[in-house]
Amino acid sequence: MIANKTANVVTEPLRMSDAAPVDRQALKKELDNAIPYISSRIDRTLYALGDKFPNEACEGGKWQPAENNQWTNSFWTGQLWLLWEITGDSKYRQAAERFITSFAHRLVNRIETDTHDLGFLYSLSCVNAWQLTGNAAARDIALHAAEIMMQRYNPTAGIIQAWGDLTDPEQQGRMIIDCNMNLPLLYWASEQTGNLVFADAALSHAMQAAKYIVRPDASTYHTYYMDVVTGEPRFGNTHQGHSDSSCWARGQAWGIYGFMLSYLYTGKSEFVSLTRSLSHYFINRLPEDAICHWDLALNNTDAVRDSSAAAIAACGLLELAKALPATDADRMQYEEVALRIVQSLTKRYLSTDESECEGLLMHSVYHMPAGKGVDECCSWGDYFYLEALIRVRQCWTSYW
Ligand code: GLY
């Protein structure tokens, strides 16, 4: 169970930074100042792409138009909804609403739906549309997505298979740390319908991930195989990290934020302890500007950064800080690191030259071993930067 497991995970003492504390008022001002520029950048992408989506990651700093068949399409609608909340400009809401039928079409026609990423896809395109505007059709589409996602749950292994056909021997029983962020769709579906089957599967998966994907030193495997016949653990390995024994930075960030989200839905404090342990491992391996290298094992090298992982971790750290009592010794530190990340991203990573980079956040890494999206802008980096920005700037109700 998680309780035994978290007791076995080390929580490193936090290494204190020499950096001066972030001036919160000044940071809010910097973020306010960035908004007109961010809006104009998104306006141009919206105009250029029309009813298409930005590709997963830029190529040579340019967005290529994509169909609704990638794991990342909803990071675009998520940005539009966030920008509507930030600016109040109805054109962003209208643009986001236009995409809802595209997400319905994708489900009905089963276009690249053999993936746990239905969570990302429908939380940020339909759950948020329902939450923000009461769009009942969007709610139905998201519930349908949750039903399809449930088909990927293997009760023997207690996990949701990440990728591919359920009979594919290469993928059977494989869970990945990223899935923590897909679980909210299932928890939400239980809340909406009263049918606990979704939440039970999500909790089971989160517990298996806590038990097997998290290593005793609080680093994480990217992926882990379970035996679907016996339910026994098999082995962990990487897909996008530096090596099977290293710690892929974005995976750790998905873990930090995702375990916190499981806490928010289940109230199980073991997930807070786990988030804390993963966060200490992450924070202790940050370089001076607080933006992680693409793999945490490459700390203290000149390896490229993954700004998207930093943005994801900042959102998770802000949630962690919110969940802790004011008396908690490390709470202020979590918030401070999150703010340092947001400040650093805004000052040093936000693209200011469109001819160099058409996205918002430069210097992320999609898939280093495949040489894909290396040191580029990516759609989820832009989304999580905007999410972190809105979290720092105003009161915000989560889409997750
Ligand atoms: N979920 C896939 C990735 O983070 O690249």
Side-chain angles (χ1 to χ4, degrees):
M1 302 304 288
I2 328 172
N4 298 338
K5 170 65 190 173
T6 48
N8 294 335
V9 172
V10 167
T11 305
E12 295 178 353
L14 270 182
R15 212 165 23 84
M16 289 300 157
S17 156
D18 299 333
V22 174
D23 177 336
R24 287 157 199 240
Q25 287 318 314
L27 175 60
K28 283 189 184 170
K29 214 168 198 173
E30 282 164 38
L31 298 179
D32 283 349
N33 291 341
I35 287 166
Y37 173 73
I38 289 171
S39 307
S40 70
R41 185 60 72 88
I42 289 188
D43 288 350
R44 276 202 288 276
T45 304
L46 196 53
Y47 181 74
L49 297 180
D51 59 0
K52 301 271 194 279
F53 296 80
N55 205 12
E56 297 154 319
C58 278
E59 291 168 31
K62 306 274 177 247
W63 287 126
Q64 298 304 323
E67 300 298 331
N68 194 345
N69 58 10
Q70 304 186 328
W71 71 276
T72 49
N73 298 88
S74 61
F75 295 116
W76 181 229
T77 49
Q79 287 174 65
L80 297 172
W81 282 115
L82 285 174
L83 212 48
W84 176 54
E85 290 204 77
I86 291 167
T87 64
D89 188 335
S90 60
K91 77 174 169 226
Y92 299 116
R93 170 179 171 171
Q94 284 160 11
E97 280 173 334
R98 277 202 303 276
F99 283 114
I100 291 173
T101 47
S102 163
F103 282 89
H105 175 84
R106 180 169 179 172
L107 268 194
V108 170
N109 295 285
R110 294 287 195 282
I111 300 167
E112 300 294 332
T113 52
D114 276 351
T115 167
H116 65 159
D117 288 324
L118 293 171
F120 278 126
L121 286 166
Y122 289 86
S123 291
L124 299 182
S125 63
C126 292
V127 172
N128 52 1
W130 153 247
Q131 233 176 239
L132 290 166
T133 69
N135 184 324
R139 176 181 177 273
D140 289 348
I141 297 163
L143 287 174
H144 187 193
E147 279 162 16
I148 296 176
M149 188 175 157
M150 266 305 289
Q151 293 165 7
R152 308 190 66 74
Y153 179 66
N154 183 303
T156 308
I159 60 115
I160 290 154
Q161 182 182 316
W163 298 315
D165 191 279
L166 297 175
T167 58
D168 177 355
E170 282 298 309
Q171 299 300 342
Q172 247 185 0
R174 191 179 199 185
M175 62 173 155
I176 75 173
I177 185 72
D178 323 28
C179 188
N180 282 20
M181 297 296 295
N182 290 319
L183 302 179
L185 181 70
L186 299 183
Y187 291 123
W188 170 85
S190 279
E191 279 187 355
Q192 291 292 313
T193 61
N195 182 352
L196 291 181
V197 81
F198 302 101
D200 288 348
L203 177 59
S204 166
H205 181 100
M207 286 165 66
Q208 294 292 69
K211 198 163 173 182
Y212 299 115
I213 289 194
V214 179
R215 304 186 184 107
D217 66 356
S219 67
T220 47
Y221 287 113
H222 182 189
T223 96
Y224 199 96
Y225 285 87
M226 304 295 293
D227 188 317
V228 292
V229 176
T230 64
E232 290 298 312
R234 290 179 62 207
F235 62 94
N237 70 1
T238 198
H239 181 65
Q240 282 158 260
H242 176 62
S243 76
D244 289 345
S245 59
S246 74
C247 183
W248 179 48
R250 193 158 65 254
Q252 192 78 2
W254 292 137
I256 290 169
Y257 196 1
F259 281 124
M260 244 351 260
L261 293 175
S262 272
Y263 164 70
L264 292 175
Y265 275 102
T266 66
K268 289 190 179 297
S269 60
E270 298 91 326
F271 289 125
V272 177
S273 312
L274 207 52
T275 304
R276 191 193 286 276
S277 306
L278 265 63
S279 299
H280 286 215
Y281 190 94
F282 184 87
I283 292 169
N284 285 348
R285 285 156 186 79
L286 289 179
E288 206 146 299
D289 72 355
I291 308 304
C292 51
H293 295 277
W294 72 275
D295 191 294
L296 300 180
L298 302 177
N299 183 26
N300 296 324
T301 72
D302 60 1
V304 290
R305 309 301 180 87
D306 182 3
S307 57
S308 75
I312 296 159
C315 295
L317 288 168
L318 289 172
E319 278 296 350
L320 174 61
K322 259 200 318 200
L324 294 170
T327 49
D328 184 273
D330 293 323
R331 194 182 74 91
M332 287 294 285
Q333 198 51 26
Y334 302 141
E335 200 174 276
E336 178 65 23
V337 174
L339 297 181
R340 273 183 59 213
I341 290 174
V342 175
Q343 184 171 59
S344 188
L345 291 174
T346 307
K347 277 198 169 133
R348 304 182 189 91
Y349 290 77
L350 194 58
S351 157
T352 51
D353 179 357
E354 202 176 14
S355 65
E356 199 186 345
C357 171
E358 292 179 349
L360 301 178
L361 213 55
M362 300 184 295
H363 308 306
S364 64
V365 174
Y366 179 12
H367 194 324
M368 182 66 93
K372 221 163 116 177
V374 173
D375 203 17
E376 292 278 6
C377 174
C378 62
S379 56
W380 62 92
D382 287 3
Y383 170 80
F384 283 100
Y385 171 66
L386 269 191
E387 188 186 308
L389 178 149
I390 199 170
R391 281 174 174 280
V392 171
R393 200 173 159 267
Q394 65 201 65
C395 201
W396 179 67
T397 304
S398 167
Y399 300 164
W400 302 101

